[in-house]
Amino acid sequence: MRAVLLKAFGGTENLEDRDWPEPEAGEGEVKIRTRTISVNPTDYKARSGASGGALPMLLGRDAAGVVEAVGNGVAGFAPGDEVMTYLPRFGYSGGEGYAEFVKVPAEFAAKKPAGLSFAEAAAVPLVSLTAYECVVMKSRLRAGESAFVAGGSGGVGTMAIQILRHIGADPIITTAGSDRSAAYIHERLGVPEENIIRYAGRSLGELEDLIVRANGGRLPRAAFDLVGEEMKKLCLRVVDYWGHVVSCAPEPGAPIDEFFHSMKGPLFAKSASFHSVFLRSPVRGGGRPYWGTYREALDEIRGWLEAGDIAPPMTED
C-alpha cells in the first residue's frame, strides 16, 4: 500500500510518500480502507520529536473509511461498513493513520454517523473522545450548572461546548483571542456574545472578574483548561467551591502538588478538585479490559451526531 512516512523528526519536508507493508486484521481487530484522515496538534508534536517514538513513523490519529476485513472475535462490524476510528499510539507508533489501510482494535471504531461525510467523520474521534472524557466522565456537570471553557474555538473546545450545551450546562462561558474565533464560537457553537471573553491584553484578575460577571456574580461550577499555561491558572482562579477543574493540557512547571500543597492554594482553599485527561492512558498502561469505554463513548457521540444534538468540527474541502 501507499503511506506517508515520517523519515526524520522536524518539518513537513521529512514526510515521504512511499510503499509500506499493508496491515492485516488480527484477533479482535478491523482493517479499514481509509477515505479521509485528520491532522491534529498531536501529529505535529509527534512530527517534531516531542512525543518520542521510532523512525520511520506513520502519523495519524483519526480516520474514516470502509471496513475491508475483520479479525476473529469481532462483532458489530462487517466488510463494507462505513466507519470512523480513533487510532491510539501503541508503543512507539505514531497512530499509523497516514496510509491507504489501517488496522485497529474494534473497540476504537464506530459506524460512521448517518449524514456525515467521510471528512466530517474523520475529524470526530480524537477531539470528541477527549471532550467526552473532560465533560461527561470527569466534570459530571448537571443541567443548570455553569461552565467555563478556556479554548472554546479549538477542536476539543468545539466538541466540549456542544456536549455541555447538550447536557444542559448554563451558562457556558468561554474565551476568544480574535474576532474570527469569537464569531465562530457565537455563530457555530451558539454561545451568546456576552459570554465570550476576549483575553488579549487583559490580566488574570480582569478575566476572572469578567467571567464571574458573565455568571451572574458566581464562580463557575466547572472550569475546563484546554490550552494550558495562563489559562490553567485562570481555571484554578475561577472554579467554584466544591467545583472541578479539568485539564487536557499537560505542561512543565504545573505539578499537582503545587495545587494542593498549601491551604492558600487555589484548589485546597475552595475544596475543589483537579482532573487530568490523557486520552490514551488506558491504552498505554491499562490494556484491553479498559478499551470498551472508548466504544461506549464513540457510540454515544455517534447518536448525538445523528440526532443533530451536536455537530462535527468544521472541515474544509
Side-chain angles (χ1 to χ4, degrees):
M1 69 174 182
R2 299 297 291 180
V4 177
L5 271 292
L6 181 69
K7 58 186 179 180
F9 292 125
T12 55
E13 69 276 4
N14 292 323
L15 293 171
E16 180 181 47
D17 185 351
R18 56 181 284 190
D19 288 324
W20 192 249
E22 186 174 316
E24 298 300 333
E27 182 81 20
E29 294 178 332
V30 293
K31 177 182 176 180
I32 301 165
R33 180 186 292 270
T34 59
R35 291 283 299 273
T36 312
I37 57 94
S38 70
V39 177
N40 290 285
T42 185
D43 292 318
Y44 66 70
K45 291 175 184 176
R47 191 187 69 219
S48 72
S51 304
L55 296 170
M57 179 184 292
L58 259 176
L59 302 175
R61 305 291 298 281
D62 288 309
V66 179
V67 173
E68 184 82 3
V70 299
N72 291 333
V74 171
F77 296 104
D81 287 344
E82 296 181 348
V83 295
M84 62 183 182
T85 183
Y86 165 56
L87 300 168
R89 292 187 67 191
F90 290 99
Y92 293 105
S93 82
E96 304 188 351
Y98 293 5
E100 287 186 281
F101 295 94
V102 299
K103 71 170 183 176
V104 66
E107 290 91 336
F108 300 105
K111 298 288 182 63
K112 183 173 75 68
L116 265 63
S117 68
F118 283 104
E120 290 171 326
V124 166
L126 187 148
V127 294
S128 64
L129 284 170
T130 303
Y132 185 95
E133 183 174 343
C134 287
V135 175
V136 178
M137 297 173 63
K138 297 299 176 64
S139 80
R140 301 190 178 187
L141 272 183
R142 294 174 293 187
E145 293 183 323
S146 56
F148 168 64
V149 179
S153 64
V156 176
T158 290
M159 304 312 291
I161 286 175
Q162 293 188 90
I163 294 172
L164 284 164
R165 186 185 65 211
H166 176 63
I167 66 175
D170 184 51
I172 301 169
I173 304 158
T174 189
T175 55
S178 67
D179 291 341
R180 182 180 180 184
S181 293
Y184 172 82
I185 292 168
H186 175 58
E187 296 168 8
R188 175 84 173 180
L189 306 181
V191 177
E193 291 182 350
E194 60 269 23
N195 290 354
I196 303 172
I197 309 299
R198 304 299 188 95
Y199 61 80
R202 285 175 165 150
S203 69
L204 292 181
E206 290 171 321
L207 292 171
E208 181 180 359
D209 289 343
L210 290 169
I211 292 165
V212 171
R213 190 182 310 164
N215 194 36
R218 294 286 305 272
L219 296 167
R221 174 67 176 171
F224 299 89
D225 165 40
L226 311 181
V227 181
E229 299 183 350
E230 292 302 295
M231 289 295 105
K232 183 179 275 87
K233 295 177 184 177
L234 180 60
C235 287
L236 296 171
R237 291 179 66 140
V238 304
V239 71
D240 201 0
Y241 294 90
W242 302 316
H244 306 281
V245 174
V246 185
S247 176
C248 65
E251 59 188 292
I256 194 69
D257 59 341
E258 288 187 10
F259 302 156
F260 286 99
H261 182 67
S262 169
M263 289 187 68
K264 296 181 180 180
L267 293 183
F268 194 98
K270 289 185 283 190
S271 194
S273 60
F274 183 90
H275 304 264
S276 60
V277 171
F278 179 30
L279 184 59
R280 71 182 177 98
S281 58
V283 177
R284 190 172 67 169
R288 197 152 209 157
Y290 292 86
W291 297 354
T293 298
Y294 295 89
R295 167 69 69 79
E296 293 169 4
L298 277 175
D299 283 342
E300 186 164 19
I301 291 162
R302 181 191 66 192
W304 293 342
L305 288 162
E306 290 184 339
D309 296 323
I310 64 173
M314 185 176 291
T315 59
E316 297 181 1
D317 295 333

